[in-house]
Amino acid sequence: MPSQITLYKQIHPNQCTSLANLGFKSLINLRFDDEIDGQPKNCDLAASAKQAGLVYHNLPIDGESIHLIEVQSFAKLLSDTPKPVMVFCGTGSRAKRLYQCACISGLI
């Protein structure tokens, strides 16, 4: 079983069933659509997650500047989302920074 919160890089729709089989209950996507060419669309990820029985949320966050309101929204979403949860972005660094900000702020 995965840890309660996993921070990861971009996933693809065809991975959702495997993630559910590994024990994940939820996915949180931190990307905006069309950040880069060839990136999976949010709607495709959401449909695949639903088909796999996963709870799916899209919380697009700009990786260059993270604001307190975004950290608070993330912490609330993380608190309310069934665990284990995978939080992902393009490379994983945005997920890591956002999670660290929430921890440092005492929100999680």
Side-chain angles (χ1 to χ4, degrees):
M1 168 153 304
S3 65
Q4 292 298 302
I5 301 167
T6 298
L7 309 173
Y8 201 63
K9 63 183 180 175
Q10 179 67 61
I11 65 163
H12 295 272
N14 65 352
Q15 294 174 288
C16 289
T17 299
S18 295
L19 293 170
N21 290 339
L22 287 171
F24 285 99
K25 302 288 184 221
S26 306
L27 302 172
I28 299 175
N29 177 6
L30 300 178
R31 298 191 84 181
F32 292 91
D33 273 342
D34 302 319
E35 286 183 354
I36 62 167
D37 290 338
Q39 166 191 336
K41 297 283 187 192
N42 177 54
C43 62
D44 295 333
L45 286 162
S48 185
K50 181 178 180 178
Q51 187 175 39
L54 295 166
V55 173
Y56 180 85
H57 296 284
N58 182 228
L59 181 67
I61 301 288
D62 178 7
E64 297 301 314
S65 58
I66 298 174
H67 302 281
L68 181 58
I69 190 79
E70 295 166 326
V71 175
Q72 292 168 330
S73 295
F74 172 70
K76 173 80 169 109
L77 182 60
L78 198 56
S79 168
D80 296 344
T81 300
K83 312 286 184 299
V85 59
M86 177 178 284
V87 180
F88 67 93
C89 60
T91 64
S93 63
R94 183 178 347 179
K96 181 180 175 183
R97 280 195 314 261
L98 186 60
Y99 181 78
Q100 288 173 331
C101 287
C103 288
I104 289 168
S105 299
L107 299 172
I108 54 175

